Amino acid sequence: GVQFTKKQGRLAYTNDDVTIFHELKRIYVHPEMTLEKAVITVAKKFNLVPDTPPNILTEKQTLSLEPLEVQMKDIQSYIDEKFEERERQLISMAREIRALKKAQQQKKSFYKWLKTFFEK
């Protein structure tokens, strides 16, 4: 959220900017401190909070998400297609198994009838 001024095409730093840089350097020296944490700490200390809340996407971020949304839709349609294909295969296999069991039962009942026929 910090804006720097330019003079003759070069960045011009104010005394406040230099103070902020020194504070950032002083905090970043600590081994457990990351650059991101140091920047956040300095921003809070000097009230350098950006104008827009962090959860609001900028136009550039929104544009970069559009290809990802297209990819997600493509992936979802691929998954749906494969799921339907697998479901059709499972239904077909279940029908085949049911038909085989029915045929096996009919075969058993025929042999049972035949056995009773010869026992008489």
Side-chain angles (χ1 to χ4, degrees):
V2 178
Q3 299 288 326
F4 297 107
T5 57
K6 285 188 175 185
K7 289 185 181 176
Q8 299 173 348
R10 301 178 103 193
L11 287 175
Y13 300 108
T14 64
N15 287 336
D16 291 338
D17 296 336
V18 174
T19 304
I20 291 169
F21 287 137
H22 283 305
E23 183 66 17
L24 182 61
K25 183 179 175 185
R26 186 185 70 75
I27 291 174
Y28 184 59
V29 171
H30 294 65
E32 73 279 355
M33 187 62 69
T34 64
L35 183 59
E36 184 179 5
K37 287 180 184 177
V39 168
I40 291 170
T41 305
V42 170
K44 286 180 181 178
K45 182 176 180 177
F46 290 94
N47 294 323
L48 303 173
V49 181
D51 295 337
T52 58
N55 60 348
I56 295 178
L57 296 176
T58 63
E59 185 178 337
K60 185 176 181 181
Q61 289 170 325
T62 304
L63 291 175
S64 68
L65 289 177
E66 288 176 1
L68 296 175
E69 290 173 354
V70 171
Q71 284 181 338
M72 289 291 289
K73 287 179 183 178
D74 290 345
I75 291 170
Q76 185 63 45
S77 65
Y78 175 80
I79 290 171
D80 291 343
E81 181 182 308
K82 290 297 181 180
F83 180 76
E84 288 175 14
E85 181 182 331
R86 181 170 172 96
E87 193 163 326
R88 281 192 295 270
Q89 289 175 345
L90 287 172
I91 290 171
S92 174
M93 288 177 65
R95 286 179 181 154
E96 288 177 23
I97 290 171
R98 195 176 317 137
L100 286 172
K101 282 185 177 181
K102 189 174 181 179
Q104 198 174 30
Q105 285 175 347
Q106 287 175 348
K107 193 176 185 181
K108 282 183 183 179
S109 64
F110 173 75
Y111 285 125
K112 218 178 201 182
W113 174 81
L114 193 59
K115 185 178 177 183
T116 57
F117 180 75
F118 282 114
E119 286 178 354
K120 291 184 181 179

